[in-house]
């Protein structure tokens, strides 16, 4: 990385000018060092753009007087322009000439070919982050930010004092003065994250939290950015969910796990830059005539002339159903495209058959039949390919997949190569003038008009290669095939020239460890050999819009994974804004369909009525059960630090829920009371199910402990070692022998005598040698009742609107009423639940969702567990839980939840002694155990 200090000319003013010059030199030396360091690292190489050649060139004319004030005022803000979306060089130049002309710090993530030296000026800094890194990772992953940190906060950096960062795309127009007016009302020492919240829910929801949209500007405090750029904080989000190019979404995820949330700020608006260039406020009058002309060209999107016949779309048709594919495409998206522009590719046998079936209506490439010259033959054009035999003959489309193994990959690579070479050798006359080569799958829907519009923003004589970039850490990116691959003529010719090289042999796997090895990867590898790099463009969607919500995909050029082209055509023609769509649904594309992610999780605590809650909810007509009540997927007592990955979530967890489409108006969820004790659960659950709602029901911890003990004794599932943990592994051994509860309580009393609440640990706490040494272990029955210790992690991570806390005693007393509140929390329509039956009682166990055992709730009261607990035992436990109850009070106060208090120290008329008998150390001490962590 290198920083180009924009000014080497001394501003007027003697010693100040000198010291400024020295500072400049210092900064340049430091930056040269940073450059050297980064150049030697594999990731995040940022090169300087063309260095200014002469000093004279640096001394650009002084800015208009109107700039001076803005320059002075804007010194605490760094404006960061993230490139892409075609016309990049132009857009950046226009920005630097217009709104960004009068800001003190502007950083451009740009193409190395962009020479912006004309915009250097003596009174501001223009930083460039360009070169290889931008080309190879144009979507700016979090790893890029790591390098950025070194640039900004490196010693001597003139930007080290900025308090605010405004990230914008190269299509954003900033009213600098208006922004500067807003800043004084915001706190720069806060983890501020401002702008307009994007709606990604319907794009690719999986793993996205609310995030601020880059196109309308992302405003961050330096306080927050300094945390974001620290790889220790955000590296988990690098590979995150969703598309690889949704940089702003990934930033949002990272920010979320730093406990900051998007805050709406007025004035961050959507829309094109004003065509008439009469930007409001301070910008007026600053736009040059040149700038104005360029903006107009951009707005009118008519830069490069592209005639429809300059574009050739190649459909990679599957071998089966070729006729249907051709007919479907021709009746839908290809309808308005000049016929000769769409070509279908299939193997020789399928092509010959289709030719015969069409009775000569379809033209077939010369290796099957001589090209027909009848006009009807121009209807559909089928290119017959010479391909190796398919690895097997079970030709269903979805079995063709890059993860099917080497033989399939090889076949797919051969197929892509055959299609590519056929297309660029231009065997048919009309192909010879191709300026743009587009390759799509047969389940890809092409939006012809937006595609043309997009291509017009690029010069076909320059090398361009875009679509939906695919990234795997450590490998070069390439354009994924499904949503379409676009090559300019120049790029295609370069790849064609390289295709004879051994590195472009489809049998030669250059990146053996890479997951994606199919046809698109072959093209990517060969493009790399040819020096053709991936450009950043948007609008290539890997799946269709959920429920036809087209208005959320305004920039769409293609949709992949479209099963029914006719339905899509009808919806688009009707200008549909969406089928009936359940707003509770967060859709994720699985098995070629949108399915709603689970909507709720009952996360705790054991023996607090979680089974009843779950089963009551299942009565609601909108709620469908998971395969069982407790999925224990995310972690529990035994796996408090589990970290499931995306693949596991997709293949294991989500399959345990019923498939619910966004138009079904149903929700689903699960109830695993052990989640409360899993410290990684909140983070990992939210990483993959960001909008899920959590319910925790808490029970008087003394009674809860005894209830769990009784149930485990009946079930013969008591832990073998209740008084200690065996080494640092969880003790999962069960015993048919259970010590009397009073003996376990004596152990607890002994622990209290020599330990402090903070140092008391149990099965689900993180193991430490010190804990072991201190003999401060308590059995899990009481250990699980130290709620605040575990709940704190949840409340810190999960947004409050997604949490419902229930008090067992209260809600079981008013179960019908509580269920209405639960319904409202889960956004379910009102429903009259039947709550007379209590589930999973110590009298009738029925924890599984398909077991019907239940007890009349009034019978539970008569045979209460509490009644069977001796007063002496109760008082020991009462004392044990006192400090933890105080801690729970503190926690609830901090997060603004009403307190939960249980009468643990009373049995009828009898009261436990009010002073500490066992917690000797706590006598006279405040009771809160204060922020203990599990
Ligand atoms: N409606 C109603 N009224 C009163 N009490 C009720 C009700 N529903 C469940 N329960 C009591 O909740 C206890 C079971 O809780 P869980 O289902 O969460 O247990 S588990 O952890 O899933 O095994 C279990 O407590 P114990 O009887 O003490 O074992 C149930 O009796």
């Amino acid at each position: 990385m290198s920083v180009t200090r924009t000014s080497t000319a001394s501003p007027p003013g003697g010693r100040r000018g000198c010291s400024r010059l020295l500072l400049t030199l210092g900064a340049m030396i430091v930056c040269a060092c940073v450059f050297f360091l980064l150049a030697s690292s594999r990731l995040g190489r940022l090169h300087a753009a063309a260095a200014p050649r002469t000093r004279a060139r640096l001394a650009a004319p002084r800015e208009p007087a109107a700039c001076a004030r803005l320059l002075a005022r804007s010194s605490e803000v760094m404006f960061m322009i993230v490139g892409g979306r075609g016309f990049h060089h132009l857009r950046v130049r226009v920005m630097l000439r217009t709104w960004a002309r009068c800001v003190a710090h502007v950083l451009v993530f740009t193409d190395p070919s962009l020479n912006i030296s004309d915009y250097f000026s003596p009174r501001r800094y223009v930083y460039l982050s360009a070169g290889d890194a931008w080309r190879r990772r144009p979507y700016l992953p979090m790893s890029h930010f790591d390098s950025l940190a070194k640039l900004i906060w490196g010693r001597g950096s003139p930007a080290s004092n900025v308090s605010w960062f405004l990230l914008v795309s190269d299509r954003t127009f900033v009213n600098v003065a208006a922004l500067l007016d807003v800043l004084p009302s915001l706190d720069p020492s806060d983890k501020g994250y401002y702008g307009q919240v994007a709606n990604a829910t319907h794009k690719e929801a999986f793993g996205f939290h609310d995030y601020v949209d880059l196109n309308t500007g992302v405003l961050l405090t330096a306080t927050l950015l300094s945390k974001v750029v620290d790889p220790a904080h955000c590296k988990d989000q690098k590979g995150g969910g969703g598309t690889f190019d949704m940089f702003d979404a990934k930033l949002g995820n990272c920010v979320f796990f730093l406990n900051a949330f998007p805050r709406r700020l007025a004035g961050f608006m959507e829309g094109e830059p004003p065509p008439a260039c009469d930007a409001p406020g301070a910008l007026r009058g600053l736009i040059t005539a040149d700038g104005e002309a360029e903006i107009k060209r951009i707005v009118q999107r008519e830069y490069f002339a592209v005639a429809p016949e300059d574009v050739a779309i190649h459909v990679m048709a599957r071998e089966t159903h070729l006729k249907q594919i051709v007919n479907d495409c021709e009746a839908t998206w290809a309808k308005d495209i000049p016929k000769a522009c769409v070509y279908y590719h299939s193997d020789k046998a399928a092509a010959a058959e289709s030719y015969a079936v069409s009775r000569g209506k379809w033209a077939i490439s010369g290796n099957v039949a001589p090209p027909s010259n009848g006009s009807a033959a121009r209807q559909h054009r089928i290119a017959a390919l010479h391909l190796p035999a398919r690895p097997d003959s079970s030709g269903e489309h979805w079995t063709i997949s890059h993860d099917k193994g080497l033989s399939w990959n090889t076949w797919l690579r051969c197929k892509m190569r055959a299609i590519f070479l056929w297309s660029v050798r231009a065997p048919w006359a009309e192909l010879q003038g191709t300026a743009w080569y587009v390759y799509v799958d047969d389940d890809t829907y092409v939006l012809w008009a937006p595609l043309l519009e997009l291509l017009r923003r690029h010069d076909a004589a320059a090398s361009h290669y875009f679509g939906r970039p695919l990234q795997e850490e450590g490998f070069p990116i390439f354009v994924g095939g499904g949503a379409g691959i676009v090559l300019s003529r120049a790029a295609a010719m370069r790849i064609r020239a390289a295709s004879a090289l051994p590195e472009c042999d489809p049998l030669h796997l250059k990146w053996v460890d890479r997951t994606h090895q199919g046809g698109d990867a072959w093209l990517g590898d060969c493009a790399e050999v040819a020096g053709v790099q991936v450009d950043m463009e948007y609008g290539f969607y890997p799946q269709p819009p959920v429920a036809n919500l087209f208005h959320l995909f305004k920039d769409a050029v293609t949709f992949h994974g479209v099963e029914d082209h006719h339905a899509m055509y009808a919806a688009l023609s009707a200008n549909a804004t969406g089928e009936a769509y359940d707003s509770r649904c967060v859709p994720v594309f699985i098995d070629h369909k949108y399915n709603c992610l689970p909507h709720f999780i009952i996360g705790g605590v054991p023996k607090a009525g979680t089974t009843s809650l779950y089963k009551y909810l299942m009565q609601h007509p909108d709620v469908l059960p998971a395969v069982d009540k407790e999925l224990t997927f995310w972690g529990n007592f035994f796996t408090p630090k589990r970290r499931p990955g995306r693949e596991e979530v997709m293949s294991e967890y989500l399959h345990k829920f019923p498939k619910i489409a966004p138009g079904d108006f149903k929700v689903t969820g699960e109830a695993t009371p052990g989640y409360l004790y899993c410290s990684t659960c909140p983070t990992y659950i939210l990483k993959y199910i960001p909008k899920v709602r959590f319910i925790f029901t808490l029970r008087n911890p003394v009674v809860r402990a005894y209830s769990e003990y009784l149930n485990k004794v009946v079930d013969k599932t008591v832990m073998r070692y209740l008084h200690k943990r065996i080494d640092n592994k969880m003790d999962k051994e069960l015993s048919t022998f259970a010590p009397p509860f009073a003996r376990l309580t004596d152990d607890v009393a002994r622990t209290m005598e020599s330990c402090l609440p903070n140092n008391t640990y149990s099965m689900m706490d993180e193991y430490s040698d010190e804990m072991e040494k201190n003999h401060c272990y308590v059995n899990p029955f009481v250990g699980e009742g130290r709620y605040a210790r575990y709940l704190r992690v949840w409340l810190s991570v999960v947004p409050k609107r997604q949490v419902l806390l229930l008090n067992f005693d209260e809600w079981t007393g008013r179960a019908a009423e509580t269920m209405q509140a639960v319904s409202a929390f889960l956004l379910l329509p009102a429903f009259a639940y039947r709550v007379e039956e209590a589930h999973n009682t110590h009298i009738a166990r029925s924890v599984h969702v398909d077991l019907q055992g239940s007890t009349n709730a009034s019978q539970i009261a008569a045979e209460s567990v509490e009644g069977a607990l001796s007063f002496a035992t109760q008082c020991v436990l009462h004392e044990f839980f006192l400090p933890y109850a105080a801690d729970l009070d503190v926690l609830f106060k901090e997060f603004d939840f009403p307190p939960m208090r249980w009468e643990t120290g009373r049995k009828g008329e009898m009261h436990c002694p009010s002073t500490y008998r066992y917690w000797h150390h706590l006598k006279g001490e405040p009771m809160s155990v204060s922020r203990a962590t599990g």
Side-chain angles (χ1 to χ4, degrees), residues 600-618 629-630 670-674 677 695-700 703-705 707-708 711 784 787 806-813 815 818-819 822 834-835 837-842 844-847 857 860 865 902:
F600 66 87
I601 289 177
I602 300 173
V605 299
K607 298 293 148 214
T610 57
T611 312
S612 280
L613 272 180
Y614 192 70
K615 292 198 177 186
Y616 295 160
L617 268 173
M618 292 310 133
K629 174 209 158 199
E630 294 185 24
E670 61 138 330
T672 301
Y677 308 100
I695 300 174
F696 293 96
T697 151
L698 306 183
R699 185 174 181 182
N700 173 338
V703 183
R704 199 216 69 83
S707 164
E708 183 163 9
N711 279 285
E784 287 165 35
Y787 303 136
L806 297 175
N807 181 336
F808 173 88
D809 291 343
E810 277 172 23
W811 82 254
T812 51
T818 302
M819 287 312 295
V822 171
R834 298 176 307 281
V835 294
E837 297 298 306
H839 296 272
N840 195 26
T841 66
H842 63 288
R845 297 270 285 143
S846 62
V847 74
I860 289 295
V865 168
W902 296 283

Side-chain angles (χ1 to χ4, degrees), residues 384-401:
L385 306 175
H386 291 294
L387 294 176
R390 285 164 55 115
D392 70 50
S393 54
S394 65
E396 263 321 294
H397 182 57
W398 299 120
T399 65
I400 301 175
S401 157

Side-chain angles (χ1 to χ4, degrees), residues 283-480:
L283 288 178
R284 187 169 291 142
L286 296 181
I287 296 171
T288 61
D290 247 12
E292 182 170 342
E294 279 175 354
I295 290 179
K296 272 189 180 151
R297 275 204 293 271
I298 291 167
V299 171
Q300 288 160 8
R301 294 180 176 167
E302 282 175 357
Y303 199 65
F304 296 101
V306 179
E309 49 279 13
D310 296 340
V311 184
I313 300 180
H314 297 272
V315 181
M316 299 187 253
R318 83 196 89 152
E319 285 59 49
T320 53
H321 313 110
L322 178 63
K323 191 169 172 242
Q324 186 201 325
I325 290 161
V326 176
N327 285 338
D328 284 354
C329 294
E330 293 295 328
T332 57
W333 62 263
K335 205 173 188 167
D336 302 326
I337 304 179
K339 288 289 180 260
C341 292
V342 184
Y343 305 88
Y344 301 88
H345 298 257
S346 188
D347 69 4
K348 206 169 151 183
E353 193 192 324
S354 307
Y355 179 61
V357 170
S358 76
R359 296 198 183 87
K361 189 176 158 212
W362 295 359
I364 306 290
S365 61
N367 59 353
V368 172
S372 161
N373 39 21
S375 60
R378 289 182 61 81
Q379 287 295 305
H380 311 306
R381 315 220 61 179
I382 313 288
L385 306 175
H386 291 294
L387 294 176
R390 285 164 55 115
D392 70 50
S393 54
S394 65
E396 263 321 294
H397 182 57
W398 299 120
T399 65
I400 301 175
S401 157
H402 49 69
D403 51 13
K404 280 276 157 191
L406 204 59
S407 50
W408 267 113
N409 284 327
T410 307
W411 188 81
L412 290 169
R413 293 166 79 87
C414 289
K415 182 173 176 176
M416 183 72 229
R417 183 174 185 272
I419 293 173
F420 172 74
L421 289 180
W422 189 91
S423 66
V424 293
R425 278 181 191 142
W428 285 332
E430 74 273 7
L431 272 167
Q432 282 151 22
T434 303
W436 288 99
Y437 299 82
V438 182
Y439 304 92
V440 298
D441 275 5
D442 53 24
D443 61 337
T444 303
Y445 197 99
V446 179
L447 294 131
W448 173 241
L451 175 67
L452 263 188
E453 197 177 285
L454 171 70
L455 298 180
R456 285 180 179 143
R457 287 194 250 135
H458 297 272
D459 182 0
S463 175
H464 288 295
Y465 169 39
F466 52 73
R468 182 178 183 246
L470 284 186
Q471 179 204 20
E472 263 179 72
E473 199 64 61
F475 299 105
I477 53 166
F478 63 91
V479 176

Side-chain angles (χ1 to χ4, degrees), residues 649-693:
V649 175
M650 296 288 273
S651 59
E652 243 185 73
Y653 188 61
L654 296 184
H655 277 104
K656 297 202 161 117
F657 292 96
K659 290 204 179 340
I660 296 176
D664 291 346
F665 289 88
K666 304 266 187 237
V667 301
T668 186
E670 61 138 330
T672 301
Y675 285 157
L676 175 75
Y677 308 100
C678 157
S679 58
T680 52
C681 276
T683 308
Y684 275 78
I685 295 176
L686 288 184
K687 180 167 175 181
Y688 298 110
I689 327 181
K691 304 277 168 4
V692 74
R693 289 166 184 246

Side-chain angles (χ1 to χ4, degrees), residues 46 97 144 178 192 227 258 261 338 380 426-427 453 522 540 591 646 665 691 763 794 802 819 883:
L46 310 176
R97 238 179 248 179
H144 215 88
K227 291 188 164 46
L258 287 169
F261 304 99
H380 311 306
E453 197 177 285
W522 170 80
F540 297 83
D591 298 339
R646 183 182 166 97
F665 289 88
K691 304 277 168 4
M763 187 179 72
W794 289 84
Q802 287 172 239
M819 287 312 295

